[in-house]
Amino acid sequence: MSVIKTENLTYTYSIGTPFEKTAVDNVNLEIEEGALVGIIGHTGSGKSTLIQHFNGLVKPTSGKIYVDGQDIWAKETKLRDIRFKVGLVFQYPEYQIFEETVYKDIAFGPKNMGLPDEEIDRRIKETAELVGLHKENLYKSPFELSGGQKRRVAIAGVMAMEPKVLILDEPTAGLDPKGRDKILSQIKEYHQQKKSTVLLVSHSMEDVAKFADKILVMNKAQLFCYDDTPEVFKRAGELSNMGLAVPQITRVFNRLKQSGIDIRTDVYTTEFARKTILEYLEKRGGERA
Amino acid sequence: MLKDITIGQYFPGNSVIHRLDPRFKIIITGVFIAMLFTADNFIGLGIGMVFLLVSFLLSQIPFKLMLKSLKPIIPIIIFTSILNLFFLDGVVLFKLGFIKVTYEGLRTSAFMIIRIVALIMGSSLLTYTTSPITLTDAIERLLSPLKKLKFPVHELAMMMTIALRFIPTLIEETDKIMSAQKARGADMESGSLLQRAKALTPILIPLFVSAFRRAEELALAMECRCYQGGDGRTRLRQLHSTGTDFFALGISIVFFDIIILMNCFLG
Ligand SMILES: Nc1ncnc2c1ncn2[C@@H]1O[C@H](COP(=O)(O)OP(=O)(O)OP(=O)(O)O)[C@@H](O)[C@H]1O
Ligand SMILES: [Mg+2]
């Protein structure tokens, strides 16, 4: 069964004013349990608006959203329970930190869930380690930490709630490449440990290509496609036309194909590129002999 | 909830009212408020309302938006009119137990409601049809004679510009922080008053932190561009008054006079 399902989901900002803007336009979507999904799209394509629907922060103008088969805007649904089920880490989440110590800030979510203290303590220590926060930092004021560390605190704060679905809105924005890779691999680790569904919004095709099993592409408020990663990158041409930069390695293979070399184009990681080129060379070597 | 706040919101357009010189618009709004508070009979108030209605129709602002600007003050209106209705002494109209309604009470609360509503609508019409930047520009120009008295007019205007500029930003920021804390299960809608006040901490602290950060960044950015106050500063937009502006001012003064006359003859 799908954990998240939308039916004709539409959302319009500032309805009835000259600033009216449809940010999500008739999206039909089903996300399977346990999937690791990358969400990409141009600036302003409606990614952030879309994901805020999944935990009921935004009420759709029309259409329906089901979490675990439950219509989240039905009368009998408690939105707070949905929010514990679907955890959302906002863009620049470090600006939501408010407690005196890192420990207390991570505890905020689990405490709201009403968990016993020992369980909260266990979760804090576990997630802190997972996102790479040192033990001695747990009792510091979060405002003393660096930007990247604050980001980790905020991400840990949502992970500690152990939601069934974890959604992250550009968790790597504004970090250096090394920090970016690290956070991504920590998120992947969380996904594998907890067997939870993870949705990750990103601007970087490279990141998404390395990270995700499935990709959801938004274009001008509409769902362009939602498919397995290789399938999506087969449509590199269309993605480029949309103004989305496909990974460099994919572009190289597309060029090779254009210049008449018979090679596959659904290549998006360096590892797979190496394999493909070796295979190709072997095949050609065979033909020559 | 926060989206209901429309004070200081600009509604772009190109109507006659939009195009009026902002200095004249401020003065006319002042005249209008004077009208409301000098009128001491219903005919006078009615004339004031006609003036408001005509300006409102000319501005082409959707009626719905006007109603929205009234929404936040509904509790105030209800509260004051109840006080007036039940607690003013005078000729008793009817009595129900210890509650009695007097003619004076009825009259005063009707007056009060019309005045408050017209006041809010009139001043929202000003902010709806004038962009904040032009508005503060106009205020600076209107106050400029005070410069002679060493009153920091430019600084005041700059402060207002910045404050107005940051109202939407702070509202947006509050919205965002609220969403983020709600996503972590913060409960702001239920519980006792004390619990609800406590529930504000996760919102207020990040909000203050970010407001101070923004203030610092802005100050730095202004200094980097060599901002040093109003002396010798020229402006991008010059304000020009035209015949229409004087005509509009003339009309509002005529209305004002009529209301004063009404007071004399009917008062
Ligand atoms: N609070 C708001 N009020 C009005 N319009 C908004 C608001 N938030 C977003 N929008 C508009 O909705 C559209 C989609 O915005 P959204 O934030 O979902 O885009 P996004 O895909 O997340 O972009 P980015 O990659 O820049 O984060 C944009 O055109 C934006 O201008
Ligand atoms: Mg976004």
Side-chain angles (χ1 to χ4, degrees):
Chain A
M1 197 178 70
S2 50
V3 262
I4 290 177
K5 185 174 159 202
T6 68
E7 268 173 16
N8 306 322
L9 185 68
T10 299
Y11 186 80
T12 309
Y13 280 108
S14 320
I15 252 178
T17 72
F19 308 106
E20 191 170 302
K21 167 110 200 165
T22 301
V24 174
D25 190 2
N26 200 21
V27 168
N28 291 289
L29 190 65
E30 267 189 60
I31 293 170
E32 311 73 22
E33 185 147 12
L36 187 53
V37 184
I39 301 177
I40 49 176
H42 220 267
T43 294
S45 57
K47 305 179 293 293
S48 301
T49 312
L50 177 70
I51 56 171
Q52 285 178 52
H53 280 93
F54 296 159
N55 71 345
L57 281 174
V58 171
K59 188 172 184 179
T61 309
S62 67
K64 286 211 151 75
I65 308 140
Y66 299 90
V67 170
D68 255 352
Q70 192 179 11
D71 178 355
I72 68 168
W73 288 101
K75 261 211 189 95
E76 63 278 5
T77 311
K78 283 215 184 77
L79 270 180
R80 211 151 164 247
D81 296 341
I82 297 293
R83 291 187 186 139
F84 295 141
K85 228 181 236 180
V86 182
L88 177 58
V89 181
F90 273 78
Q91 226 160 342
Y92 298 102
E94 52 273 29
Y95 297 136
Q96 72 188 34
I97 292 175
F98 69 98
E99 279 286 10
E100 298 151 62
T101 66
V102 170
Y103 186 94
K104 279 191 190 170
D105 202 86
I106 300 179
F108 183 65
K111 242 189 197 141
N112 284 329
M113 296 172 77
L115 295 172
D117 284 348
E118 312 86 72
E119 173 67 9
I120 295 180
D121 186 67
R122 181 190 69 73
R123 287 190 181 191
I124 292 171
K125 299 218 159 115
E126 192 184 298
T127 43
E129 193 183 320
L130 188 70
V131 299
L133 280 170
H134 285 295
K135 271 212 184 76
E136 64 263 29
N137 282 341
L138 279 180
Y139 302 97
K140 275 193 189 162
S141 158
F143 298 102
E144 286 171 25
L145 302 180
S146 77
Q149 283 171 320
K150 273 190 223 165
R151 176 85 47 97
R152 280 159 216 268
V153 173
I155 293 177
V158 177
M159 278 184 178
M161 295 163 71
E162 298 189 354
K164 206 166 174 185
V165 183
L166 176 68
I167 308 177
L168 302 109
D169 197 350
E170 299 196 37
T172 58
L175 295 182
D176 62 302
K178 232 184 183 164
R180 229 162 56 195
D181 280 350
K182 220 164 172 186
I183 284 199
L184 286 181
S185 65
Q186 284 155 355
I187 293 168
K188 201 157 184 165
E189 170 118 18
Y190 172 88
H191 167 74
Q192 275 154 3
Q193 268 184 27
K194 304 283 171 205
K195 303 271 174 285
S196 60
T197 314
V198 173
L199 275 64
L200 176 120
V201 178
S202 174
H203 263 135
S204 156
M205 276 287 191
E206 254 99 8
D207 283 356
V208 170
K210 262 185 284 186
F211 175 86
D213 305 330
K214 297 197 90 176
I215 294 184
L216 189 161
V217 185
M218 288 293 289
N219 183 33
K220 294 188 184 140
Q222 287 177 334
L223 178 69
F224 173 73
C225 69
Y226 172 60
D227 213 337
D228 293 330
T229 307
E231 296 305 313
V232 173
F233 281 118
K234 271 189 195 151
R235 302 167 77 170
E238 283 167 272
L239 293 177
S240 310
N241 285 343
M242 253 185 246
L244 291 172
V246 292
Q248 280 174 349
I249 200 83
T250 314
R251 258 181 292 171
V252 169
F253 277 76
N254 271 301
R255 270 295 176 73
L256 287 174
K257 179 102 180 177
Q258 273 169 26
S259 57
I261 297 170
D262 180 28
I263 201 162
R264 58 194 295 179
T265 54
D266 55 345
V267 176
Y268 48 87
T269 59
T270 17
E271 187 44 41
F272 191 61
R274 196 177 75 105
K275 226 173 89 194
T276 314
I277 291 177
L278 285 178
E279 255 168 36
Y280 172 77
L281 289 178
E282 215 163 81
K283 201 175 77 188
R284 218 179 60 165
E287 278 165 15
R288 279 221 183 124
Chain B
M1 174 173 88
L2 291 170
K3 291 189 192 81
D4 291 339
I5 299 174
T6 50
I7 299 164
Q9 210 176 59
Y10 174 51
F11 188 92
N14 196 25
S15 69
V16 193
I17 307 279
H18 280 88
R19 287 196 311 263
L20 280 183
D21 185 323
R23 288 171 295 181
F24 281 76
K25 269 194 270 190
I26 293 174
I27 295 172
I28 292 172
T29 311
V31 172
F32 171 69
I33 292 171
M35 275 185 218
L36 289 177
F37 285 91
T38 42
D40 61 2
N41 53 57
F42 280 104
I43 299 178
L45 262 192
I47 292 171
M49 288 307 273
V50 169
F51 179 77
L52 177 66
L53 208 69
V54 172
S55 336
F56 176 62
L57 287 178
L58 285 176
S59 73
Q60 293 167 357
I61 303 280
F63 191 61
K64 242 171 57 190
L65 211 64
M66 258 311 168
L67 289 184
K68 231 174 116 184
S69 70
L70 288 176
K71 224 162 109 188
I73 58 152
I74 289 174
I76 302 176
I77 294 181
I78 293 175
F79 186 67
T80 48
S81 54
I82 285 180
L83 278 188
N84 278 314
L85 198 56
F86 295 130
F87 296 103
L88 226 64
D89 280 333
V91 187
V92 177
L93 286 184
F94 63 86
K95 228 172 161 170
L96 224 162
F98 63 93
I99 296 170
K100 62 179 197 306
V101 175
T102 61
Y103 169 74
E104 279 78 6
L106 205 61
R107 193 185 132 94
T108 318
S109 44
F111 245 84
M112 189 76 108
I113 293 174
I114 298 177
R115 269 187 188 152
I116 297 179
V117 167
L119 185 72
I120 297 291
M121 283 173 78
S123 39
S124 334
L125 192 60
L126 176 68
T127 51
Y128 275 143
T129 59
T130 323
S131 76
I133 303 276
T134 356
L135 201 60
T136 44
D137 243 17
I139 292 173
E140 185 176 349
R141 295 289 290 275
L142 284 175
L143 293 181
S144 60
L146 291 180
K147 267 185 200 158
K148 298 234 163 58
L149 302 173
K150 294 266 192 298
F151 186 77
V153 175
H154 173 79
E155 283 70 16
L156 189 77
M158 184 51 99
M159 265 159 60
M160 278 175 58
T161 314
I162 292 174
L164 281 174
R165 157 67 185 76
F166 278 97
I167 287 175
T169 314
L170 283 180
I171 290 179
E172 203 177 291
E173 189 111 359
T174 316
D175 247 352
K176 228 197 229 150
I177 295 171
M178 271 168 88
S179 300
Q181 307 300 24
K182 272 193 209 158
R184 294 207 277 167
D187 186 5
M188 278 164 275
E189 274 109 36
S190 60
S192 68
L193 204 61
L194 189 71
Q195 276 168 329
R196 273 197 237 187
K198 262 192 189 155
L200 285 180
T201 330
I203 295 161
L204 290 181
I205 291 180
L207 194 63
F208 273 104
V209 171
S210 100
F212 280 117
R213 185 174 44 85
R214 272 180 205 285
E216 239 164 60
E217 280 169 5
L218 185 68
L220 203 65
M222 282 168 82
E223 259 168 43
C224 287
R225 293 178 204 179
C226 307
Y227 174 79
Q228 42 174 270
D231 291 335
R233 204 174 161 79
T234 55
R235 35 190 85 247
L236 180 62
R237 277 173 305 267
Q238 298 288 343
L239 296 176
H240 296 291
S241 38
T242 61
T244 327
D245 297 315
F246 287 100
F247 181 70
L249 183 61
I251 292 199
S252 45
I253 290 173
V254 168
F255 265 82
F256 190 35
D257 288 339
I258 295 177
I259 287 175
I260 292 175
L261 282 178
M262 285 291 165
N263 282 351
C264 296
F265 290 115
L266 295 170

